[in-house]
Amino acid sequence: MIISSLATGFTTGAGLIVCIGSQNAFVLRQGLLRSHVGLVALVCIISDILLIAAGISGLGFMVEQWPTMLQWVRYAGALFLAFNAFQAAKRAFDTHQSLNPSEFIAPSRKKILLTCLAFTWLNPHVYLDTVFMLGSLSLQYTEGTQWEFGAGAMLASVAWFISITYGARLLLPLFKNPNAWRVLDGLVALVMTYLCIGLLVVPLN
């Protein structure tokens, strides 16, 4: 029963976490640049563990009972995404910019920490997925196995963020070409613009 609950939690968590989103785009770029990858992975993992634990603990009702909070996060997240979409588009069209990880001057640890926290906690969908969705799905389990389900989802988060941060170096041969960085930044700009518009246009349920 323990293995079954863990496995279900792992696959469910992976299905919600492993997707193209603003946070994952940021994490992938940091992994490719080898910029504070340990810090980025740790922040994302700890944040997911806290949010999943909140959902399993029954705090998912806050998402339903306090819609005003979610709306504030929604608009703040949209503004943040719009700014980063602009920055990514600017990098994509900068023909004089070439990003070589060995020559890249990484931003300060504090700046990376704050940016990573913003990509995580200013994303209203993270509350819907981890707190509300996983919290709701855990209700089908007994009190003891709820945390086994949650632990599986947490393990999925750990595996994913370690893979995307430290595994990104496998793609470095491809990104020796400056145009590859421009394509990546162009895709990041499109993804963030799409998510920004989605936050502004589609109401959160």
Side-chain angles (χ1 to χ4, degrees):
M1 185 65 179
I2 294 178
I3 295 178
S4 175
S5 300
L6 281 171
T8 303
F10 186 92
T11 54
T12 304
L16 293 172
I17 296 168
V18 181
C19 62
I20 299 175
S22 57
Q23 183 194 50
N24 286 335
F26 167 76
V27 172
L28 175 61
R29 194 171 193 277
Q30 294 305 120
L32 287 168
L33 291 171
R34 292 176 288 184
S35 172
H36 303 294
V37 290
L39 175 65
V40 170
L42 188 62
V43 169
C44 292
I45 289 170
I46 291 177
S47 296
D48 265 13
I49 288 176
L50 291 175
L51 289 164
I52 292 169
I56 301 300
S57 298
L59 298 183
F61 75 93
M62 290 180 61
V63 177
E64 289 185 314
Q65 301 300 323
W66 201 2
T68 304
M69 176 192 72
L70 199 59
Q71 294 306 317
W72 277 105
V73 175
R74 171 191 178 189
Y75 291 116
L79 181 63
F80 180 75
L81 286 174
F83 173 76
N84 281 277
F86 172 77
Q87 293 292 98
K90 185 178 177 181
R91 290 193 302 265
F93 285 102
D94 186 356
T95 58
H96 300 291
Q97 183 175 357
S98 176
L99 288 178
N100 185 336
S102 62
E103 301 173 354
F104 175 70
I105 301 176
S108 67
R109 182 179 295 269
K110 180 180 179 181
K111 182 176 180 179
I112 292 296
L113 172 62
L114 293 176
T115 303
C116 190
L117 287 171
F119 271 117
T120 303
W121 293 89
L122 287 181
N123 178 9
H125 291 291
V126 76
Y127 300 98
L128 295 177
D129 290 343
T130 57
V131 179
F132 180 66
M133 185 69 73
L134 288 175
S136 297
L137 291 174
S138 71
L139 295 177
Q140 62 185 299
Y141 296 90
T142 60
E143 185 174 347
T145 56
Q146 277 184 338
W147 286 103
E148 295 165 5
F149 172 82
M154 293 174 188
L155 286 174
S157 175
V158 172
W160 170 247
F161 286 115
I162 289 178
S163 298
I164 194 174
T165 49
Y166 289 97
R169 66 183 62 189
L170 298 176
L171 298 175
L172 283 177
L174 172 64
F175 284 88
K176 287 182 178 179
N177 185 344
N179 287 328
W181 287 101
R182 297 181 64 194
V183 170
L184 175 64
D185 281 322
L187 291 174
V188 169
L190 289 174
V191 168
M192 292 190 183
T193 300
Y194 171 78
L195 293 173
C196 174
I197 294 174
L199 286 178
L200 294 174
V201 174
V202 182
L204 294 171
N205 297 317

mmCIF file of all heavy atoms in Angstrom, residues 141-188:
data_model
loop_
_atom_site.group_PDB
_atom_site.id
_atom_site.type_symbol
_atom_site.label_atom_id
_atom_site.label_comp_id
_atom_site.label_asym_id
_atom_site.label_seq_id
_atom_site.Cartn_x
_atom_site.Cartn_y
_atom_site.Cartn_z
ATOM 1 N N TYR A 141 -7.329 9.238 0.188
ATOM 2 C CA TYR A 141 -6.526 8.328 1.003
ATOM 3 C C TYR A 141 -6.866 8.486 2.473
ATOM 4 O O TYR A 141 -7.393 9.514 2.894
ATOM 5 C CB TYR A 141 -5.026 8.596 0.785
ATOM 6 C CG TYR A 141 -4.561 8.320 -0.615
ATOM 7 C CD1 TYR A 141 -4.576 9.324 -1.588
ATOM 8 C CD2 TYR A 141 -4.111 7.057 -0.987
ATOM 9 C CE1 TYR A 141 -4.152 9.076 -2.888
ATOM 10 C CE2 TYR A 141 -3.685 6.797 -2.284
ATOM 11 C CZ TYR A 141 -3.716 7.803 -3.215
ATOM 12 O OH TYR A 141 -3.304 7.552 -4.503
ATOM 13 N N THR A 142 -6.549 7.451 3.245
ATOM 14 C CA THR A 142 -6.758 7.530 4.682
ATOM 15 C C THR A 142 -5.737 8.489 5.280
ATOM 16 O O THR A 142 -4.785 8.900 4.613
ATOM 17 C CB THR A 142 -6.603 6.142 5.329
ATOM 18 O OG1 THR A 142 -5.279 5.660 5.073
ATOM 19 C CG2 THR A 142 -7.619 5.164 4.757
ATOM 20 N N GLU A 143 -5.924 8.804 6.545
ATOM 21 C CA GLU A 143 -5.064 9.811 7.174
ATOM 22 C C GLU A 143 -3.588 9.439 7.103
ATOM 23 O O GLU A 143 -2.729 10.292 6.889
ATOM 24 C CB GLU A 143 -5.484 10.001 8.631
ATOM 25 C CG GLU A 143 -4.715 11.113 9.335
ATOM 26 C CD GLU A 143 -5.239 11.371 10.730
ATOM 27 O OE1 GLU A 143 -6.341 10.875 11.055
ATOM 28 O OE2 GLU A 143 -4.544 12.070 11.488
ATOM 29 N N GLY A 144 -3.270 8.170 7.240
ATOM 30 C CA GLY A 144 -1.880 7.751 7.203
ATOM 31 C C GLY A 144 -1.283 7.767 5.810
ATOM 32 O O GLY A 144 -0.139 8.207 5.617
ATOM 33 N N THR A 145 -2.047 7.312 4.835
ATOM 34 C CA THR A 145 -1.515 7.194 3.472
ATOM 35 C C THR A 145 -1.539 8.519 2.715
ATOM 36 O O THR A 145 -0.951 8.614 1.638
ATOM 37 C CB THR A 145 -2.313 6.136 2.679
ATOM 38 O OG1 THR A 145 -3.707 6.475 2.705
ATOM 39 C CG2 THR A 145 -2.120 4.749 3.277
ATOM 40 N N GLN A 146 -2.218 9.524 3.241
ATOM 41 C CA GLN A 146 -2.200 10.845 2.597
ATOM 42 C C GLN A 146 -0.771 11.359 2.470
ATOM 43 O O GLN A 146 -0.375 11.894 1.431
ATOM 44 C CB GLN A 146 -3.026 11.844 3.409
ATOM 45 C CG GLN A 146 -4.522 11.799 3.135
ATOM 46 C CD GLN A 146 -5.262 12.870 3.897
ATOM 47 O OE1 GLN A 146 -4.770 13.380 4.914
ATOM 48 N NE2 GLN A 146 -6.444 13.223 3.437
ATOM 49 N N TRP A 147 0.006 11.166 3.533
ATOM 50 C CA TRP A 147 1.373 11.678 3.530
ATOM 51 C C TRP A 147 2.290 10.822 2.671
ATOM 52 O O TRP A 147 3.314 11.305 2.181
ATOM 53 C CB TRP A 147 1.895 11.798 4.961
ATOM 54 C CG TRP A 147 1.273 12.962 5.652
ATOM 55 C CD1 TRP A 147 0.275 12.943 6.574
ATOM 56 C CD2 TRP A 147 1.589 14.342 5.431
ATOM 57 N NE1 TRP A 147 -0.062 14.219 6.952
ATOM 58 C CE2 TRP A 147 0.729 15.100 6.261
ATOM 59 C CE3 TRP A 147 2.504 15.011 4.622
ATOM 60 C CZ2 TRP A 147 0.759 16.493 6.315
ATOM 61 C CZ3 TRP A 147 2.542 16.398 4.670
ATOM 62 C CH2 TRP A 147 1.682 17.122 5.502
ATOM 63 N N GLU A 148 1.925 9.555 2.474
ATOM 64 C CA GLU A 148 2.692 8.709 1.549
ATOM 65 C C GLU A 148 2.475 9.211 0.119
ATOM 66 O O GLU A 148 3.415 9.285 -0.676
ATOM 67 C CB GLU A 148 2.252 7.254 1.690
ATOM 68 C CG GLU A 148 2.580 6.661 3.052
ATOM 69 C CD GLU A 148 1.845 5.361 3.323
ATOM 70 O OE1 GLU A 148 1.151 4.879 2.397
ATOM 71 O OE2 GLU A 148 1.957 4.832 4.445
ATOM 72 N N PHE A 149 1.234 9.558 -0.194
ATOM 73 C CA PHE A 149 0.919 10.154 -1.493
ATOM 74 C C PHE A 149 1.675 11.470 -1.668
ATOM 75 O O PHE A 149 2.281 11.738 -2.709
ATOM 76 C CB PHE A 149 -0.594 10.385 -1.591
ATOM 77 C CG PHE A 149 -1.030 11.164 -2.803
ATOM 78 C CD1 PHE A 149 -1.195 10.543 -4.029
ATOM 79 C CD2 PHE A 149 -1.282 12.539 -2.710
ATOM 80 C CE1 PHE A 149 -1.606 11.260 -5.145
ATOM 81 C CE2 PHE A 149 -1.683 13.263 -3.818
ATOM 82 C CZ PHE A 149 -1.842 12.616 -5.039
ATOM 83 N N GLY A 150 1.647 12.299 -0.623
ATOM 84 C CA GLY A 150 2.352 13.571 -0.669
ATOM 85 C C GLY A 150 3.849 13.394 -0.810
ATOM 86 O O GLY A 150 4.510 14.144 -1.542
ATOM 87 N N ALA A 151 4.406 12.389 -0.129
ATOM 88 C CA ALA A 151 5.842 12.130 -0.215
ATOM 89 C C ALA A 151 6.229 11.745 -1.638
ATOM 90 O O ALA A 151 7.295 12.128 -2.137
ATOM 91 C CB ALA A 151 6.238 11.021 0.759
ATOM 92 N N GLY A 152 5.352 10.996 -2.318
ATOM 93 C CA GLY A 152 5.612 10.629 -3.714
ATOM 94 C C GLY A 152 5.673 11.859 -4.601
ATOM 95 O O GLY A 152 6.550 11.977 -5.466
ATOM 96 N N ALA A 153 4.741 12.799 -4.376
ATOM 97 C CA ALA A 153 4.732 14.045 -5.151
ATOM 98 C C ALA A 153 5.981 14.871 -4.856
ATOM 99 O O ALA A 153 6.562 15.482 -5.758
ATOM 100 C CB ALA A 153 3.469 14.847 -4.832
ATOM 101 N N MET A 154 6.407 14.880 -3.602
ATOM 102 C CA MET A 154 7.621 15.610 -3.229
ATOM 103 C C MET A 154 8.853 15.001 -3.892
ATOM 104 O O MET A 154 9.743 15.722 -4.362
ATOM 105 C CB MET A 154 7.790 15.608 -1.706
ATOM 106 C CG MET A 154 6.729 16.396 -0.958
ATOM 107 S SD MET A 154 6.897 16.205 0.840
ATOM 108 C CE MET A 154 5.399 17.020 1.412
ATOM 109 N N LEU A 155 8.906 13.672 -3.954
ATOM 110 C CA LEU A 155 10.030 12.990 -4.606
ATOM 111 C C LEU A 155 10.079 13.331 -6.094
ATOM 112 O O LEU A 155 11.161 13.476 -6.672
ATOM 113 C CB LEU A 155 9.911 11.474 -4.422
ATOM 114 C CG LEU A 155 10.243 10.936 -3.032
ATOM 115 C CD1 LEU A 155 9.931 9.436 -2.951
ATOM 116 C CD2 LEU A 155 11.712 11.180 -2.709
ATOM 117 N N ALA A 156 8.897 13.475 -6.712
ATOM 118 C CA ALA A 156 8.842 13.851 -8.135
ATOM 119 C C ALA A 156 9.448 15.238 -8.329
ATOM 120 O O ALA A 156 10.179 15.481 -9.293
ATOM 121 C CB ALA A 156 7.392 13.826 -8.630
ATOM 122 N N SER A 157 9.156 16.151 -7.404
ATOM 123 C CA SER A 157 9.707 17.503 -7.478
ATOM 124 C C SER A 157 11.221 17.471 -7.321
ATOM 125 O O SER A 157 11.942 18.133 -8.081
ATOM 126 C CB SER A 157 9.084 18.380 -6.382
ATOM 127 O OG SER A 157 9.677 19.662 -6.368
ATOM 128 N N VAL A 158 11.712 16.702 -6.350
ATOM 129 C CA VAL A 158 13.155 16.586 -6.135
ATOM 130 C C VAL A 158 13.841 16.044 -7.387
ATOM 131 O O VAL A 158 14.851 16.603 -7.856
ATOM 132 C CB VAL A 158 13.451 15.672 -4.930
ATOM 133 C CG1 VAL A 158 14.948 15.391 -4.826
ATOM 134 C CG2 VAL A 158 12.940 16.300 -3.632
ATOM 135 N N ALA A 159 13.291 14.963 -7.939
ATOM 136 C CA ALA A 159 13.890 14.338 -9.128
ATOM 137 C C ALA A 159 13.888 15.286 -10.319
ATOM 138 O O ALA A 159 14.876 15.377 -11.061
ATOM 139 C CB ALA A 159 13.127 13.054 -9.467
ATOM 140 N N TRP A 160 12.783 16.011 -10.505
ATOM 141 C CA TRP A 160 12.662 16.894 -11.663
ATOM 142 C C TRP A 160 13.639 18.058 -11.592
ATOM 143 O O TRP A 160 14.354 18.333 -12.557
ATOM 144 C CB TRP A 160 11.236 17.413 -11.784
ATOM 145 C CG TRP A 160 11.083 18.516 -12.802
ATOM 146 C CD1 TRP A 160 10.780 19.815 -12.566
ATOM 147 C CD2 TRP A 160 11.258 18.401 -14.222
ATOM 148 N NE1 TRP A 160 10.736 20.528 -13.729
ATOM 149 C CE2 TRP A 160 11.027 19.688 -14.772
ATOM 150 C CE3 TRP A 160 11.578 17.346 -15.069
ATOM 151 C CZ2 TRP A 160 11.122 19.946 -16.133
ATOM 152 C CZ3 TRP A 160 11.667 17.602 -16.433
ATOM 153 C CH2 TRP A 160 11.440 18.885 -16.954
ATOM 154 N N PHE A 161 13.681 18.742 -10.475
ATOM 155 C CA PHE A 161 14.519 19.936 -10.411
ATOM 156 C C PHE A 161 16.017 19.609 -10.369
ATOM 157 O O PHE A 161 16.826 20.384 -10.879
ATOM 158 C CB PHE A 161 14.105 20.808 -9.222
ATOM 159 C CG PHE A 161 12.813 21.539 -9.456
ATOM 160 C CD1 PHE A 161 11.690 21.261 -8.700
ATOM 161 C CD2 PHE A 161 12.716 22.483 -10.466
ATOM 162 C CE1 PHE A 161 10.492 21.913 -8.936
ATOM 163 C CE2 PHE A 161 11.523 23.148 -10.713
ATOM 164 C CZ PHE A 161 10.409 22.866 -9.947
ATOM 165 N N ILE A 162 16.362 18.482 -9.809
ATOM 166 C CA ILE A 162 17.764 18.058 -9.887
ATOM 167 C C ILE A 162 18.126 17.709 -11.325
ATOM 168 O O ILE A 162 19.208 18.050 -11.812
ATOM 169 C CB ILE A 162 18.022 16.863 -8.944
ATOM 170 C CG1 ILE A 162 17.982 17.334 -7.483
ATOM 171 C CG2 ILE A 162 19.379 16.219 -9.245
ATOM 172 C CD1 ILE A 162 18.180 16.227 -6.472
ATOM 173 N N SER A 163 17.213 17.046 -12.007
ATOM 174 C CA SER A 163 17.459 16.648 -13.401
ATOM 175 C C SER A 163 17.597 17.853 -14.318
ATOM 176 O O SER A 163 18.514 17.920 -15.141
ATOM 177 C CB SER A 163 16.316 15.755 -13.902
ATOM 178 O OG SER A 163 16.235 14.565 -13.155
ATOM 179 N N ILE A 164 16.698 18.821 -14.170
ATOM 180 C CA ILE A 164 16.692 19.950 -15.103
ATOM 181 C C ILE A 164 17.832 20.924 -14.826
ATOM 182 O O ILE A 164 18.334 21.579 -15.748
ATOM 183 C CB ILE A 164 15.316 20.673 -15.073
ATOM 184 C CG1 ILE A 164 15.173 21.616 -16.275
ATOM 185 C CG2 ILE A 164 15.133 21.434 -13.791
ATOM 186 C CD1 ILE A 164 13.813 22.256 -16.397
ATOM 187 N N THR A 165 18.268 21.031 -13.561
ATOM 188 C CA THR A 165 19.363 21.951 -13.262
ATOM 189 C C THR A 165 20.715 21.334 -13.597
ATOM 190 O O THR A 165 21.502 21.913 -14.350
ATOM 191 C CB THR A 165 19.344 22.371 -11.775
ATOM 192 O OG1 THR A 165 19.231 21.197 -10.955
ATOM 193 C CG2 THR A 165 18.205 23.316 -11.484
ATOM 194 N N TYR A 166 20.964 20.148 -13.067
ATOM 195 C CA TYR A 166 22.268 19.525 -13.284
ATOM 196 C C TYR A 166 22.338 18.771 -14.610
ATOM 197 O O TYR A 166 23.417 18.587 -15.172
ATOM 198 C CB TYR A 166 22.595 18.580 -12.127
ATOM 199 C CG TYR A 166 22.903 19.325 -10.850
ATOM 200 C CD1 TYR A 166 21.914 19.511 -9.884
ATOM 201 C CD2 TYR A 166 24.159 19.860 -10.615
ATOM 202 C CE1 TYR A 166 22.177 20.212 -8.711
ATOM 203 C CE2 TYR A 166 24.443 20.561 -9.445
ATOM 204 C CZ TYR A 166 23.443 20.733 -8.502
ATOM 205 O OH TYR A 166 23.716 21.437 -7.348
ATOM 206 N N GLY A 167 21.191 18.351 -15.128
ATOM 207 C CA GLY A 167 21.179 17.640 -16.407
ATOM 208 C C GLY A 167 21.249 18.555 -17.609
ATOM 209 O O GLY A 167 21.520 18.104 -18.726
ATOM 210 N N ALA A 168 21.011 19.851 -17.396
ATOM 211 C CA ALA A 168 21.034 20.806 -18.509
ATOM 212 C C ALA A 168 22.393 20.858 -19.181
ATOM 213 O O ALA A 168 22.495 21.178 -20.367
ATOM 214 C CB ALA A 168 20.635 22.202 -18.010
ATOM 215 N N ARG A 169 23.453 20.510 -18.448
ATOM 216 C CA ARG A 169 24.800 20.573 -19.022
ATOM 217 C C ARG A 169 24.962 19.611 -20.196
ATOM 218 O O ARG A 169 25.853 19.797 -21.023
ATOM 219 C CB ARG A 169 25.833 20.258 -17.947
ATOM 220 C CG ARG A 169 25.808 18.852 -17.399
ATOM 221 C CD ARG A 169 26.833 18.703 -16.286
ATOM 222 N NE ARG A 169 26.540 19.597 -15.169
ATOM 223 C CZ ARG A 169 27.378 19.785 -14.157
ATOM 224 N NH1 ARG A 169 28.531 19.171 -14.131
ATOM 225 N NH2 ARG A 169 27.033 20.602 -13.174
ATOM 226 N N LEU A 170 24.107 18.598 -20.278
ATOM 227 C CA LEU A 170 24.168 17.667 -21.404
ATOM 228 C C LEU A 170 23.811 18.362 -22.711
ATOM 229 O O LEU A 170 24.163 17.883 -23.790
ATOM 230 C CB LEU A 170 23.220 16.482 -21.166
ATOM 231 C CG LEU A 170 23.531 15.615 -19.939
ATOM 232 C CD1 LEU A 170 22.461 14.546 -19.766
ATOM 233 C CD2 LEU A 170 24.903 14.969 -20.073
ATOM 234 N N LEU A 171 23.105 19.489 -22.629
ATOM 235 C CA LEU A 171 22.708 20.240 -23.815
ATOM 236 C C LEU A 171 23.721 21.314 -24.192
ATOM 237 O O LEU A 171 23.553 22.002 -25.204
ATOM 238 C CB LEU A 171 21.345 20.913 -23.580
ATOM 239 C CG LEU A 171 20.154 19.990 -23.311
ATOM 240 C CD1 LEU A 171 18.925 20.810 -22.972
ATOM 241 C CD2 LEU A 171 19.877 19.108 -24.527
ATOM 242 N N LEU A 172 24.779 21.457 -23.394
ATOM 243 C CA LEU A 172 25.747 22.521 -23.644
ATOM 244 C C LEU A 172 26.402 22.472 -25.017
ATOM 245 O O LEU A 172 26.644 23.523 -25.622
ATOM 246 C CB LEU A 172 26.824 22.521 -22.547
ATOM 247 C CG LEU A 172 26.393 23.137 -21.214
ATOM 248 C CD1 LEU A 172 27.500 23.014 -20.189
ATOM 249 C CD2 LEU A 172 26.009 24.597 -21.395
ATOM 250 N N PRO A 173 26.728 21.277 -25.562
ATOM 251 C CA PRO A 173 27.314 21.261 -26.921
ATOM 252 C C PRO A 173 26.424 21.967 -27.944
ATOM 253 O O PRO A 173 26.916 22.657 -28.837
ATOM 254 C CB PRO A 173 27.442 19.764 -27.226
ATOM 255 C CG PRO A 173 27.613 19.135 -25.883
ATOM 256 C CD PRO A 173 26.718 19.928 -24.970
ATOM 257 N N LEU A 174 25.109 21.803 -27.799
ATOM 258 C CA LEU A 174 24.176 22.464 -28.705
ATOM 259 C C LEU A 174 24.236 23.980 -28.532
ATOM 260 O O LEU A 174 24.166 24.733 -29.509
ATOM 261 C CB LEU A 174 22.748 21.970 -28.434
ATOM 262 C CG LEU A 174 21.606 22.690 -29.163
ATOM 263 C CD1 LEU A 174 21.740 22.487 -30.672
ATOM 264 C CD2 LEU A 174 20.259 22.185 -28.673
ATOM 265 N N PHE A 175 24.423 24.438 -27.291
ATOM 266 C CA PHE A 175 24.375 25.864 -27.002
ATOM 267 C C PHE A 175 25.726 26.550 -27.136
ATOM 268 O O PHE A 175 25.896 27.688 -26.693
ATOM 269 C CB PHE A 175 23.775 26.087 -25.616
ATOM 270 C CG PHE A 175 22.276 25.912 -25.595
ATOM 271 C CD1 PHE A 175 21.720 24.667 -25.382
ATOM 272 C CD2 PHE A 175 21.436 26.980 -25.832
ATOM 273 C CE1 PHE A 175 20.345 24.486 -25.392
ATOM 274 C CE2 PHE A 175 20.069 26.824 -25.843
ATOM 275 C CZ PHE A 175 19.517 25.572 -25.632
ATOM 276 N N LYS A 176 26.686 25.870 -27.762
ATOM 277 C CA LYS A 176 27.925 26.550 -28.123
ATOM 278 C C LYS A 176 27.682 27.515 -29.273
ATOM 279 O O LYS A 176 28.462 28.435 -29.505
ATOM 280 C CB LYS A 176 28.992 25.518 -28.506
ATOM 281 C CG LYS A 176 29.551 24.759 -27.310
ATOM 282 C CD LYS A 176 30.647 23.786 -27.742
ATOM 283 C CE LYS A 176 31.225 23.062 -26.523
ATOM 284 N NZ LYS A 176 32.286 22.090 -26.913
ATOM 285 N N ASN A 177 26.593 27.269 -29.985
ATOM 286 C CA ASN A 177 26.178 28.162 -31.060
ATOM 287 C C ASN A 177 25.363 29.314 -30.469
ATOM 288 O O ASN A 177 24.328 29.077 -29.839
ATOM 289 C CB ASN A 177 25.329 27.383 -32.067
ATOM 290 C CG ASN A 177 24.947 28.217 -33.284
ATOM 291 O OD1 ASN A 177 25.047 29.440 -33.265
ATOM 292 N ND2 ASN A 177 24.520 27.549 -34.324
ATOM 293 N N PRO A 178 25.815 30.571 -30.650
ATOM 294 C CA PRO A 178 25.072 31.715 -30.095
ATOM 295 C C PRO A 178 23.624 31.764 -30.546
ATOM 296 O O PRO A 178 22.746 32.246 -29.810
ATOM 297 C CB PRO A 178 25.853 32.926 -30.624
ATOM 298 C CG PRO A 178 27.229 32.408 -30.888
ATOM 299 C CD PRO A 178 27.033 30.991 -31.357
ATOM 300 N N ASN A 179 23.342 31.277 -31.759
ATOM 301 C CA ASN A 179 21.966 31.308 -32.252
ATOM 302 C C ASN A 179 21.048 30.408 -31.428
ATOM 303 O O ASN A 179 19.845 30.652 -31.341
ATOM 304 C CB ASN A 179 21.921 30.886 -33.726
ATOM 305 C CG ASN A 179 22.475 31.965 -34.642
ATOM 306 O OD1 ASN A 179 22.356 33.150 -34.367
ATOM 307 N ND2 ASN A 179 23.108 31.553 -35.734
ATOM 308 N N ALA A 180 21.620 29.355 -30.836
ATOM 309 C CA ALA A 180 20.814 28.465 -30.003
ATOM 310 C C ALA A 180 20.297 29.214 -28.781
ATOM 311 O O ALA A 180 19.157 29.016 -28.344
ATOM 312 C CB ALA A 180 21.633 27.249 -29.581
ATOM 313 N N TRP A 181 21.143 30.095 -28.216
ATOM 314 C CA TRP A 181 20.717 30.903 -27.080
ATOM 315 C C TRP A 181 19.614 31.867 -27.488
ATOM 316 O O TRP A 181 18.661 32.115 -26.736
ATOM 317 C CB TRP A 181 21.902 31.688 -26.519
ATOM 318 C CG TRP A 181 22.878 30.834 -25.781
ATOM 319 C CD1 TRP A 181 24.068 30.361 -26.228
ATOM 320 C CD2 TRP A 181 22.737 30.327 -24.450
ATOM 321 N NE1 TRP A 181 24.682 29.603 -25.276
ATOM 322 C CE2 TRP A 181 23.892 29.574 -24.161
ATOM 323 C CE3 TRP A 181 21.748 30.464 -23.461
ATOM 324 C CZ2 TRP A 181 24.080 28.936 -22.942
ATOM 325 C CZ3 TRP A 181 21.941 29.832 -22.242
ATOM 326 C CH2 TRP A 181 23.091 29.083 -21.991
ATOM 327 N N ARG A 182 19.733 32.414 -28.693
ATOM 328 C CA ARG A 182 18.718 33.350 -29.172
ATOM 329 C C ARG A 182 17.385 32.630 -29.374
ATOM 330 O O ARG A 182 16.315 33.173 -29.060
ATOM 331 C CB ARG A 182 19.176 34.002 -30.475
ATOM 332 C CG ARG A 182 20.437 34.855 -30.309
ATOM 333 C CD ARG A 182 20.826 35.506 -31.626
ATOM 334 N NE ARG A 182 19.797 36.436 -32.068
ATOM 335 C CZ ARG A 182 19.737 36.940 -33.298
ATOM 336 N NH1 ARG A 182 20.646 36.585 -34.202
ATOM 337 N NH2 ARG A 182 18.792 37.793 -33.621
ATOM 338 N N VAL A 183 17.448 31.406 -29.897
ATOM 339 C CA VAL A 183 16.226 30.616 -30.083
ATOM 340 C C VAL A 183 15.600 30.300 -28.725
ATOM 341 O O VAL A 183 14.382 30.422 -28.544
ATOM 342 C CB VAL A 183 16.521 29.320 -30.851
ATOM 343 C CG1 VAL A 183 15.307 28.392 -30.820
ATOM 344 C CG2 VAL A 183 16.911 29.626 -32.293
ATOM 345 N N LEU A 184 16.444 29.900 -27.749
ATOM 346 C CA LEU A 184 15.932 29.590 -26.415
ATOM 347 C C LEU A 184 15.265 30.808 -25.800
ATOM 348 O O LEU A 184 14.150 30.722 -25.266
ATOM 349 C CB LEU A 184 17.072 29.105 -25.516
ATOM 350 C CG LEU A 184 16.683 28.862 -24.044
ATOM 351 C CD1 LEU A 184 15.669 27.738 -23.934
ATOM 352 C CD2 LEU A 184 17.922 28.543 -23.206
ATOM 353 N N ASP A 185 15.933 31.967 -25.872
ATOM 354 C CA ASP A 185 15.349 33.179 -25.305
ATOM 355 C C ASP A 185 14.072 33.580 -26.044
ATOM 356 O O ASP A 185 13.137 34.099 -25.431
ATOM 357 C CB ASP A 185 16.368 34.321 -25.349
ATOM 358 C CG ASP A 185 17.386 34.232 -24.229
ATOM 359 O OD1 ASP A 185 16.993 33.848 -23.113
ATOM 360 O OD2 ASP A 185 18.570 34.529 -24.461
ATOM 361 N N GLY A 186 14.043 33.339 -27.349
ATOM 362 C CA GLY A 186 12.831 33.619 -28.105
ATOM 363 C C GLY A 186 11.676 32.745 -27.643
ATOM 364 O O GLY A 186 10.545 33.223 -27.473
ATOM 365 N N LEU A 187 11.960 31.453 -27.407
ATOM 366 C CA LEU A 187 10.923 30.534 -26.924
ATOM 367 C C LEU A 187 10.479 30.910 -25.511
ATOM 368 O O LEU A 187 9.292 30.862 -25.190
ATOM 369 C CB LEU A 187 11.447 29.095 -26.948
ATOM 370 C CG LEU A 187 11.665 28.484 -28.332
ATOM 371 C CD1 LEU A 187 12.316 27.109 -28.209
ATOM 372 C CD2 LEU A 187 10.341 28.372 -29.089
ATOM 373 N N VAL A 188 11.448 31.295 -24.675
ATOM 374 C CA VAL A 188 11.119 31.728 -23.312
ATOM 375 C C VAL A 188 10.218 32.959 -23.348
ATOM 376 O O VAL A 188 9.231 33.049 -22.604
ATOM 377 C CB VAL A 188 12.411 32.035 -22.517
ATOM 378 C CG1 VAL A 188 12.077 32.748 -21.206
ATOM 379 C CG2 VAL A 188 13.171 30.748 -22.232
#
